[in-house]
């Protein structure tokens, strides 16, 4: 079972790195916002799998906070871009 969790952690880490690269290099601001949302979702997955791997349920509290902050920040960025701040 642990090798499956390690494989999931490796895949999520690669996805996080690729999302971070898109945040840095994204050609438009919209691409960066979508990549940032993907990064926060991937981070939630990483923390979840890590909590299962370490058998630490206390990490699930951090998972909830990260998920809420990711959602709120995505909505805030979308509202900001909707008003025509950047292109």
């Amino acid at each position: 079972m642990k090798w499956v969790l390690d494989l999931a952690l490796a895949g999520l880490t690669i996805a996080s790195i690729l999302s971070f690269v898109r945040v840095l290099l994204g050609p438009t601001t919209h691409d960066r916002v979508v990549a940032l949302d993907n990064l926060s979702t991937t981070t939630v997955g990483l923390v979840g799998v890590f909590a299962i791997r370490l058998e630490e349920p206390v990490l699930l509290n951090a998972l909830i906070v990260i998920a809420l902050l990711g959602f709120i920040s995505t909505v805030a960025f979308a509202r900001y871009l909707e008003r025509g701040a950047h292109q």
Side-chain angles (χ1 to χ4, degrees), residues 4-76:
V4 173
L5 294 173
D6 290 340
L7 187 64
L9 284 172
L12 288 168
T13 302
I14 291 169
S16 294
I17 291 169
L18 292 174
S19 293
F20 189 70
V21 168
R22 177 53 65 191
V23 168
L24 293 177
L25 301 177
T28 66
T29 307
H30 298 350
D31 291 332
R32 290 184 171 130
V33 170
V34 171
L36 192 62
D37 183 47
N38 189 16
L39 185 62
S40 69
T41 304
T42 307
T43 303
V44 168
L46 271 169
V47 172
V49 173
F50 199 64
I52 294 169
R53 175 80 164 80
L54 294 180
E55 297 176 0
E56 288 290 333
V58 73
L59 289 175
L60 298 178
N61 293 332
L63 186 135
I64 293 170
V65 170
I66 293 169
L68 286 174
L69 286 175
F71 173 73
I72 291 170
S73 67
T74 300
V75 170

